[in-house]
Structures are given as C-alpha cells and as structure tokens.
Amino acid sequence: MNDATAEQASAPNRTELLLKVRQAWADVLDLDSADHVPDDVNFLEAGGSSLLLIMLWEELHPLASHTLKVSDLFQHSTVQAQVSLLAGSDGTGEEPAARLGAHNREGLLSRARRSQLVSE
C-alpha cells in the first residue's frame, strides 16, 4: 500500500467526521448528548466562548487533514463547516480561505515592512 492509499484508508470519511465533530462540541459545551448539537448553528450562538473554542480546537486538530489553526474554527464556526474544513475543503471544492491566505502571509508582511522602511 502506498503512502497516499494508506492516508486515505486512515482518514475518516465525512460521516465519521460529522459524528466526531458533534461529539467534540458536546464535550466542550457540556451537553448530555451529541444528538443535542445543532449542525448549522454558530459555535458562539450554541453557548460557546473563545476559551471553549480553543478547547474545541484541541479536540479537532488531530482529525484535520492539514494544519488546523484556532482562527480556522472562528471562520468555520458551524459543525457542517468544520466537517468540510477537517475533510480538506470548504464545501466549494477549493482550499479553505484560511490556508490560501497563509501561503501569502509572509510575502505580504515582507512587502509591508519594506514599504515602511522606504517611507521612513
């Protein structure tokens, strides 16, 4: 089995991810059951806080198919959006916006620093 096949075999499918994300929300929000977790409600509206979002990140980042940042969870704040994020897409078939921005961040910062030096 090659590395790509092994990675696909070990990666949870969307149904498994949905169950795991709902359970993580239930754990963090101290709900009796994952059945009480809404799929399309913002985490903060469901009773979460920024501190609880960090706790959610701690539970979800091992499930991600890529590097997951806390800010990704702010941008993808519902169960469904987080499932798509963890699966490696934002639901549009493209890379999540947070990852696209991260690729260019260092270059943008360097240009901003250079322009500050030039203008001083």
Side-chain angles (χ1 to χ4, degrees), residues 1-14 16-17 65 87:
M1 186 181 305
N2 65 30
D3 289 340
T5 307
E7 184 177 314
Q8 287 176 346
S10 66
N13 66 34
R14 288 185 71 83
E16 291 171 3
L17 278 174
S65 61

Side-chain angles (χ1 to χ4, degrees), residues 53-54 56-58 60-61 64 66-76 82 85-86 96-105:
L53 192 73
I54 293 169
L56 181 65
W57 172 83
E58 288 177 340
L60 296 182
H61 86 272
H66 58 281
T67 301
L68 183 68
K69 299 177 289 188
V70 173
S71 61
D72 294 334
L73 298 183
F74 273 109
Q75 293 174 346
H76 300 83
Q82 290 172 1
L85 178 68
L86 292 171
R99 285 193 287 157
L100 291 174
H103 291 137
N104 299 324
R105 184 173 296 125

